[in-house]
Amino acid sequence: MASSFRRLSCLLIFVGFLSLLHPCACYNRMNSSDTDLATSPAIATWYGGPGGPPITACMCIYTGGACGFGDAVVRAPFSSMIAAGGISLWKSGRGCGACYQVSCTANPACSGRPVTVVITDQCPGGPCDSDPVHFDLSGAAFGAMAKPGQADALRNAGSIHIQYARVPCSYPGFRITFKVDSGSNPFFFAVLPEFVDGDGEISAVDLQHGGSWSPMQISFGAVWKLNSGTPLPGPFSIRLTSGVSRKTVVATNVIPVGWRPGATYTSNVNF
């Protein structure tokens, strides 16, 4: 009996030693590949036109939603692969820019193939608030989850169960850009960071002018503002802090002297 106990003790010690040689195979979902993502359930609906995001009553101008991206949502790199987030994804606007993989298998038209979407809008009220996680996808994104030739059949389902996972945003060939809000003036500066890779969402924005850093506040969605009380002629730098990893990046002198409301300025940085 004592001999058996000693053998068992030795075996446990040996197994413990092996565990030190082979650390836990843990991973951060934000850094995972497509093949090892842990997914969670959600509900998906769709809005707008079958081939893209919603359009205005005149049926001629695409609207970018509550995040403030405007008609950029129909152009690369967004290319209409966007979603309005329910309350848990919208995060009072802090969820703007986050990227998710979504897929479905619950409908015969589902391909099971994941597609990546960006949160660019808010889905307010109803199931968007009552569902634990709700994606209101663009017509293009919803149809992209279908088997070839079955996009319309899937959209006809209206509301479906899906699987989703948070993934890093990636915009090959693009650098972070800053679109100055059209309401800006020499004493009030508002800006929209676009094509933010990595976490996608932003938790803080700071503006450097006159050698000091000033924190900006959320104006709406993904647009940040600063009421300076003094003229802001430029140039100035902008510092972004990502929403999940809390990484920072500084776009040095990205806003030039004589900046203009409505203009877009491209940095040389990414996360």
Side-chain angles (χ1 to χ4, degrees):
M1 183 71 174
S3 176
S4 298
F5 180 80
R6 283 195 297 271
R7 285 197 297 270
L8 178 59
S9 298
C10 291
L11 178 60
L12 291 175
I13 292 171
F14 179 70
V15 170
F17 175 74
L18 287 179
S19 68
L20 295 176
L21 296 178
H22 300 280
C24 172
C26 302
Y27 62 88
N28 183 333
R29 181 181 296 180
M30 289 294 291
N31 296 323
S32 300
S33 69
D34 292 352
T35 58
D36 62 9
L37 288 176
T39 60
S40 302
I43 301 295
T45 50
W46 67 281
Y47 70 136
I55 53 179
T56 62
C58 73
M59 302 299 285
C60 57
I61 302 174
Y62 284 97
T63 59
C67 288
F69 291 112
D71 61 3
V73 298
V74 302
R75 301 192 303 269
F78 295 134
S79 303
S80 298
M81 298 300 290
I82 58 173
I87 190 169
S88 62
L89 299 173
W90 172 245
K91 303 177 185 177
S92 299
R94 293 293 181 117
C96 288
C99 295
Y100 296 88
Q101 278 191 352
V102 294
S103 62
C104 69
T105 58
N107 185 284
C110 290
S111 69
R113 183 183 68 252
V115 297
T116 301
V117 297
V118 185
I119 299 296
T120 61
D121 202 355
Q122 177 187 18
C123 181
C128 296
D129 286 351
S130 59
D131 290 340
V133 182
H134 191 104
F135 288 85
D136 200 18
L137 301 167
S138 70
F142 199 95
M145 295 188 296
K147 296 174 182 175
Q150 296 293 304
D152 286 339
L154 185 59
R155 283 189 288 261
N156 286 340
S159 177
I160 60 173
H161 290 271
I162 65 168
Q163 295 290 316
Y164 79 98
R166 180 74 181 268
V167 295
C169 296
S170 178
Y171 303 110
F174 289 82
R175 298 288 186 175
I176 297 174
T177 64
F178 297 88
K179 183 176 182 180
V180 180
D181 188 81
S182 59
S184 297
N185 60 58
F187 299 90
F188 171 81
F189 182 78
V191 68
L192 169 71
E194 295 182 301
F195 318 138
V196 178
D197 57 346
D199 293 355
E201 61 189 61
I202 296 297
S203 63
V205 179
D206 302 285
L207 185 146
Q208 186 186 48
H209 61 104
S212 61
W213 288 98
S214 299
M216 302 183 74
Q217 292 78 43
I218 290 181
S219 177
F220 69 93
V223 179
W224 294 74
K225 65 181 180 179
L226 175 66
N227 283 300
S228 70
T230 58
L232 295 169
F236 38 82
S237 304
I238 297 179
R239 180 172 61 203
L240 304 178
T241 303
S242 59
V244 178
S245 62
R246 299 298 195 233
K247 293 180 180 179
T248 61
V249 67
V250 176
T252 302
N253 292 334
V254 67
I255 307 299
V257 174
W259 58 267
R260 295 179 294 105
T264 297
Y265 299 101
T266 302
S267 76
N268 60 356
V269 297
N270 279 328
F271 275 103

